[in-house]
Amino acid sequence: MAAYGAVQRDWYGYANVPVQVEPSRNPQIGPSRVLRGAGRDAQAKKGVSASIVSAFKTVLVVSTLVFGLGLIRVGVCASTVGKLQENNALKQEVSSAQDTNRALQIEINALSNNTRIANLATQKYNMVYAGAGETIHVDLSQK
């Protein structure tokens, strides 16, 4: 029967096709045994690899640090702007006080002029200069 099969294979042009071998009945590897963990489904069920998880954690830590540093920078800038505004307000107050001081110094110099005081005393209050040798005697009689 085997010869008939070989001849028949030659007739139909299948001489170079290998003959199918029946699966062996080996108890370790058989058609009824399923090998687990070797395939796309097993890789998909395995989850994310450790390198991807560590890369994600690294990116998360770095982005958190950058965000934190950004918040600190914004806080420092806001504080700096506030202090600069306070400095400008103080500069304006000092400038105003200096202007007022200059105006008051001018007024003090004008009011404390000796010739002006003498003119006011003689003209407005009818005062006269006391002479060098004049003396006034006041008699205090006892009653």
Side-chain angles (χ1 to χ4, degrees):
M1 180 83 91
Y4 175 74
V7 171
Q8 188 179 13
R9 291 178 83 206
D10 285 337
W11 289 346
Y12 295 112
Y14 296 113
N16 295 330
V17 176
V19 178
Q20 278 188 335
V21 179
E22 298 243 351
S24 66
R25 301 288 179 198
N26 190 348
Q28 294 178 356
I29 301 175
S32 63
R33 180 149 188 233
V34 177
L35 298 175
R36 299 194 183 273
R40 286 187 179 177
D41 187 44
Q43 289 176 354
K45 288 181 180 178
K46 185 170 63 171
V48 182
S49 69
S51 63
I52 292 176
V53 171
S54 65
F56 179 73
K57 285 181 182 179
T58 304
V59 167
L60 188 64
V61 167
V62 168
S63 63
T64 303
L65 287 174
V66 168
F67 182 73
L69 289 174
L71 286 178
I72 290 171
R73 183 176 181 271
V74 167
V76 168
C77 287
S79 175
T80 302
V81 167
K83 294 298 180 184
L84 287 174
Q85 289 175 347
E86 289 177 18
N87 286 346
N88 286 337
L90 288 174
K91 283 181 183 178
Q92 290 175 355
E93 286 181 28
V94 167
S95 176
S96 173
Q98 287 175 342
D99 291 343
T100 304
N101 189 24
R102 283 189 210 105
L104 289 175
Q105 287 293 330
I106 291 171
E107 189 174 345
I108 287 171
N109 289 337
L111 293 177
S112 67
N113 188 356
N114 287 336
T115 55
R116 180 185 170 280
I117 292 173
N119 287 340
L120 280 175
T122 55
Q123 292 174 3
K124 189 171 184 179
Y125 297 112
N126 295 324
M127 298 174 99
V128 292
Y129 279 108
E134 293 181 21
T135 59
I136 299 177
H137 294 284
V138 177
D139 187 26
L140 297 174
S141 58
Q142 296 209 358
K143 294 187 185 181

